Amino acid sequence: MPPRTRNAASSRVSTRASAQTRSGESSRNNKAESSKPATRGRKRKSTELDLTHKREREKRARNQDAVELDTVPGDEGKPRLTTPDLEFDFDRSQLRDPRPTPGRVKRPRYDEFDMPKGFKERFYVPEPEKPKGRLNALQKDMLLREASILDPSKCFHDLHICHRKGREGSPTYDAAGFQLDWEKVDDWMRPTRPRKSTILNRMERALDRHAREQRTMYDIFFVDGKGPDVHETIVEQYLKDQVSKDLGVPWHQIGPAHLLEWEKKGFPKQKAEEWWREPNEVERARMLKMSTGSKLRKDL
């Protein structure tokens, strides 16, 4: 065995040190690489496939909204109450004058006061979300307004819908089937608060004017100006109805000027005892529809 020399020992020590150095550097490099944050991949551009998927998701969402609108959980899938559901027709064979009603565009509709018993229970009517806590006067008013908009059977439903559409909106029709006048509805939505004396003076002038107009219409329509022994307001309603159909003018527009036109066209005066007939149930229901809210209708 050859003797160990100093040079050989020094060479082995140097070799081991070099190997340990390389091993340490490799370990440090591995640690450094593992400690680097993972880099994100390049953002993928939108493709035609992505757009198709997006459209499908939006379509499913719209369909889901429509389903939720028409039905309500736990309500046995009842359909939502809409305006066409409330439409009906009067039995014209029961009317004293079955001619078409001038100015009427839509069929009459039931409202919350004349709806058949049990009719509304067949439908679902959404309710507005009530704010938490105690409501002030403004919040209560807004809640009632929203309820009237959601429920087409409410008596003020058509007025709120008309006003919300705006001056240039599509036509809106009342429960009698006549078109509403947006300007008149707008004035109704913004009532003034005059003094009590002003209100009384206006009422007195309005009553005096109506009495004069009614007297003029009686003088033109009836022989000797004498009407039947019935409340004058009821007689006036059916008087206007006949003149309206004779002239083709909407019922709510008939006044003394139209009676003069009626007379000039040669329509004969009526004898009160022969002309008057006590209205039946269908006629009373029809006239109630005709007179309710007539001041807010559009003149044609």
Side-chain angles (χ1 to χ4, degrees):
M1 183 174 188
R4 295 181 178 179
T5 63
R6 182 177 297 178
N7 290 339
S10 176
S11 177
R12 285 193 296 271
V13 170
S14 177
T15 300
R16 285 195 301 268
S18 178
Q20 292 175 356
T21 300
R22 286 194 300 269
S23 176
E25 290 178 354
S26 176
S27 177
R28 284 194 300 272
N29 290 338
N30 292 337
K31 291 181 180 180
E33 290 178 359
S34 62
S35 64
K36 289 182 180 180
T39 58
R40 295 182 178 180
R42 182 172 57 87
K43 185 178 180 180
R44 185 167 60 89
K45 296 181 179 180
S46 297
T47 63
E48 186 176 350
L49 182 61
D50 296 331
L51 294 176
T52 302
H53 291 166
K54 182 178 180 181
R55 294 192 190 99
E56 291 178 354
R57 288 194 300 270
E58 293 175 350
K59 184 177 180 180
R60 286 195 298 270
R62 288 194 299 269
N63 293 338
Q64 181 65 23
D65 292 341
V67 171
E68 292 176 354
L69 184 65
D70 292 337
T71 59
V72 59
D75 203 24
E76 300 179 359
K78 295 180 180 179
R80 179 171 177 174
L81 182 64
T82 62
T83 299
D85 297 322
L86 299 170
E87 294 179 351
F88 70 99
D89 293 302
F90 290 109
D91 184 359
R92 307 201 73 81
S93 65
Q94 299 296 315
L95 303 180
R96 66 180 68 194
D97 189 345
R99 289 179 293 175
T101 303
R104 173 175 283 161
V105 180
K106 299 288 187 179
R107 298 166 63 197
R109 302 193 309 268
Y110 292 121
D111 59 32
E112 57 185 328
F113 300 112
D114 60 7
M115 187 181 300
K117 186 177 180 180
F119 179 85
K120 195 173 181 179
E121 283 69 19
R122 295 156 41 192
F123 300 91
Y124 153 62
V125 179
E127 297 182 358
E129 184 177 355
K130 184 179 179 181
K132 296 181 179 179
R134 186 174 181 179
L135 304 183
N136 55 36
L138 179 60
Q139 289 175 316
K140 291 179 180 178
D141 181 70
M142 294 299 295
L143 198 64
L144 291 174
R145 182 188 300 261
E146 187 64 22
S148 296
I149 292 175
L150 293 174
D151 188 351
S153 68
K154 293 292 184 181
C155 59
F156 296 135
H157 169 79
D158 46 7
L159 300 181
H160 289 299
I161 293 296
C162 176
H163 195 256
R164 189 172 65 172
K165 288 180 180 180
R167 183 178 287 102
E168 304 300 328
S170 59
T172 305
Y173 303 92
D174 63 9
F178 294 90
Q179 182 177 348
L180 292 170
D181 188 311
W182 188 89
E183 298 292 346
K184 296 178 182 179
V185 174
D186 183 55
D187 290 338
W188 181 84
M189 288 285 184
R190 296 185 289 107
T192 57
R193 293 184 179 180
R195 293 179 299 178
K196 184 177 181 180
S197 59
T198 304
I199 296 176
L200 294 176
N201 290 334
R202 288 179 180 177
M203 289 179 61
E204 185 176 356
R205 290 196 299 268
L207 291 174
D208 290 342
R209 182 175 64 254
H210 181 262
R212 290 193 305 270
E213 292 179 350
Q214 190 179 74
R215 184 70 262 164
T216 301
M217 290 189 291
Y218 265 54
D219 290 340
I220 297 174
F221 189 81
F222 293 111
V223 175
D224 299 330
K226 184 179 180 180
D229 189 16
V230 185
H231 196 285
E232 293 178 343
T233 301
I234 300 176
V235 175
E236 181 185 350
Q237 291 177 339
Y238 291 96
L239 181 157
K240 287 183 174 182
D241 192 38
Q242 178 170 331
V243 175
S244 167
K245 293 178 177 179
D246 287 342
L247 299 180
V249 177
W251 180 88
H252 57 274
Q253 295 179 222
I254 298 298
H258 292 95
L259 266 294
L260 290 172
E261 181 183 351
W262 180 84
E263 184 181 36
K264 289 179 180 178
K265 288 189 174 183
F267 290 99
K269 289 179 177 287
Q270 303 293 316
K271 294 181 179 180
E273 63 277 6
E274 297 177 1
W275 175 81
W276 178 250
R277 187 183 73 184
E278 191 67 27
N280 56 38
E281 184 178 354
V282 176
E283 289 174 327
R284 287 194 295 269
R286 174 180 175 271
M287 194 53 66
L288 180 61
K289 284 287 184 188
M290 296 281 287
S291 58
T292 303
S294 61
K295 297 294 184 181
L296 302 179
R297 294 171 188 160
K298 189 173 184 178
D299 293 338
L300 303 178

